[in-house]
Amino acid sequence: MNRETILQEALRSIGDDSRIRHWRRVSGGDINDAYRVQSDKQTYFIKMQRFPPAGFFAAEQVGLELIKQANAIRVPGVFGTGEADGYGWLVLEWVEGTETAQTAEQLGRGLARLHHCRGPAFGLDRNTYIGMLPQRNGWYGRWLDYYRDVRLVPQMKRAAANGLLSAKRQTRFERLLERLDQWIPNDCFPSLLHGDLWGGNWLPGPGGVPYLIDPSVFYGHYELEIAFTELFGGFPPQFYASYQELMPLSSEYHERKPLYQLFYLLVHLNLFGEAYGTAVDRVLERYAGE
C-alpha cells in the first residue's frame, strides 16, 4: 500500500468512506509519522507507525478518553485505532490555534482540575507506554510502593540491561531506594495525571484554549507531574501561579522535586543514552551520597 491508500484505510476504519481531498505530513515527534488529512467530511490528525508495539495506540486512546471524562481540560477527540498491512494508527480530531495572553493560565487551572480527579488507588488497570518504553501498571495502596516498584526500579533494571548502570551508579541507586521513605509521602491521594507532560505535549486550540496530547496516564501524586514540567522548561510563570490557586504545592515539594524528576531522567537515559547520565548522577549523589 502507498501512504495515501493507508490513510484512506485509516479513515474507513472509523466509518469515513469519503475521499481524501488533501493530506500532508506534519511534525509529530520522533516516534510516529503524523499527517493532517482532509476528507470530504472533516479534517483529521492521524498518527501512524510501522509494526507498533502491542496495544501502543490503544493505550494512548484510553489515556485521552480518561482525561476527557474528567471534564477538566481539553484533549483532541478520538475517532479510533486500527491496523493494516503492518501499519498501526490512531485517528484524532485536528486541533489548531494560536496562544493568547490567557492560554498559560487556562493550562494551569485545567491541569489543577485534572489533578483533583481522584482514582481508587495509585496506578492504573492497564499497562501503558512512556515514549516507546513499555510501562507496567497495576493498583497500589501506597504511593511510595508504586513509585519505587513500578516507576523507579523497572527503569533501573532497564538501564542495567542497556549497560548504563555502572557499579557506582547502582550502589547509589540501591541506597536511595532504601531511604526513599524519607522524602516520598504516603499521605497523598491518587490524582489523575497526564504522565508525560513536557512543553511539547500540549498545544493551543481555537481561541487559544489549551489541549493536552500524547498522555501516559495513571493515578499518582500530583507533584510528580509538576516536577516534570520544571525539568526541561517550557511552562511560563502564569501556568504555575494559576495552578497553585487551585492546587497548592506542599512545603516539601522543592526538597523532593529532584527525586520525582529522577524517573523522567531515567526514561531519557534509557531512550537516548549516557547524555542523561550526569543528570541522573547528580540526583543520586544528592540523596544517596558517595
Side-chain angles (χ1 to χ4, degrees):
M1 291 186 186
N2 62 35
R3 195 50 50 98
E4 183 169 343
T5 301
I6 297 172
L7 293 171
Q8 189 74 70
E9 186 65 29
L11 294 191
R12 288 196 192 99
S13 74
I14 63 165
D16 186 345
D17 294 320
S18 65
R19 68 183 178 90
I20 292 178
R21 298 178 60 187
H22 180 266
W23 66 274
R24 61 180 170 87
R25 189 165 183 169
V26 296
S27 60
D30 300 325
I31 297 175
N32 305 294
D33 295 330
Y35 301 90
R36 181 187 185 273
V37 181
Q38 185 179 358
S39 76
D40 287 333
K41 286 188 176 181
Q42 69 179 82
T43 303
Y44 303 93
F45 178 67
I46 300 181
K47 304 170 72 168
M48 189 176 294
Q49 190 179 146
R50 184 75 163 161
F51 300 118
F56 182 79
F57 287 121
E60 182 173 345
Q61 177 176 354
V62 168
L64 289 168
E65 290 173 345
L66 273 174
I67 295 174
K68 181 179 180 180
Q69 291 167 13
N71 199 30
I73 190 167
R74 295 191 184 183
V75 294
V78 180
F79 294 101
T81 64
E83 57 182 56
D85 197 36
Y87 285 91
W89 58 72
L90 174 65
V91 184
L92 302 171
E93 169 192 10
W94 176 262
V95 175
E96 187 172 12
T98 303
E99 285 188 55
T100 70
Q102 290 75 45
T103 298
E105 295 178 9
Q106 292 172 335
L107 179 61
R109 286 194 296 271
L111 187 66
R113 289 193 295 267
L114 182 69
H115 290 172
H116 274 292
C117 297
R118 301 192 181 198
F122 297 100
L124 198 66
D125 60 358
R126 63 178 297 147
N127 297 336
T128 59
Y129 288 85
I130 181 84
M132 286 296 292
L133 301 180
Q135 176 63 66
R136 180 175 62 86
N137 269 306
W139 293 119
Y140 285 71
R142 299 201 325 154
W143 168 240
L144 171 62
D145 295 338
Y146 179 84
Y147 188 58
R148 182 189 62 225
D149 298 341
V150 180
R151 293 284 154 163
L152 293 180
V153 170
Q155 293 300 327
M156 180 184 73
K157 291 180 177 179
R158 183 171 281 116
N162 292 339
L164 295 166
L165 204 66
S166 65
K168 185 174 184 179
R169 191 175 286 170
Q170 180 167 348
T171 298
R172 284 176 170 173
F173 213 118
E174 291 171 350
R175 191 180 303 136
L176 171 65
L177 294 177
E178 294 172 356
R179 302 176 180 178
L180 206 56
D181 59 355
Q182 297 180 31
W183 303 283
I184 304 302
N186 268 319
D187 58 353
C188 55
F189 59 86
S191 295
L192 180 58
L193 307 183
H194 174 282
D196 191 13
L197 189 56
W198 63 287
N201 277 352
W202 72 273
L203 53 81
V209 174
Y211 283 65
L212 298 185
I213 60 173
D214 297 341
S216 178
V217 300
F218 69 102
Y219 291 91
H221 188 200
Y222 61 90
E223 290 182 358
L224 174 69
E225 188 118 279
I226 297 303
F228 186 38
T229 67
E230 293 196 76
L231 183 57
F232 300 127
F235 293 82
Q238 302 95 304
F239 162 79
Y240 296 103
S242 61
Y243 178 89
Q244 291 199 74
E245 288 176 4
L246 300 180
M247 202 76 166
L249 298 171
S250 69
S251 59
E252 296 85 19
Y253 165 72
H254 290 288
E255 176 60 24
R256 61 175 157 254
K257 178 173 69 173
L259 288 173
Y260 281 162
Q261 293 174 338
L262 178 60
F263 166 69
Y264 292 99
L265 289 171
L266 287 167
V267 168
H268 281 73
L269 178 69
N270 284 315
L271 286 172
F272 305 112
E274 189 56 38
Y276 289 89
T278 300
V280 168
D281 290 337
R282 279 198 296 266
V283 178
L284 294 177
E285 183 178 0
R286 173 174 173 175
Y287 293 92
E290 289 295 334

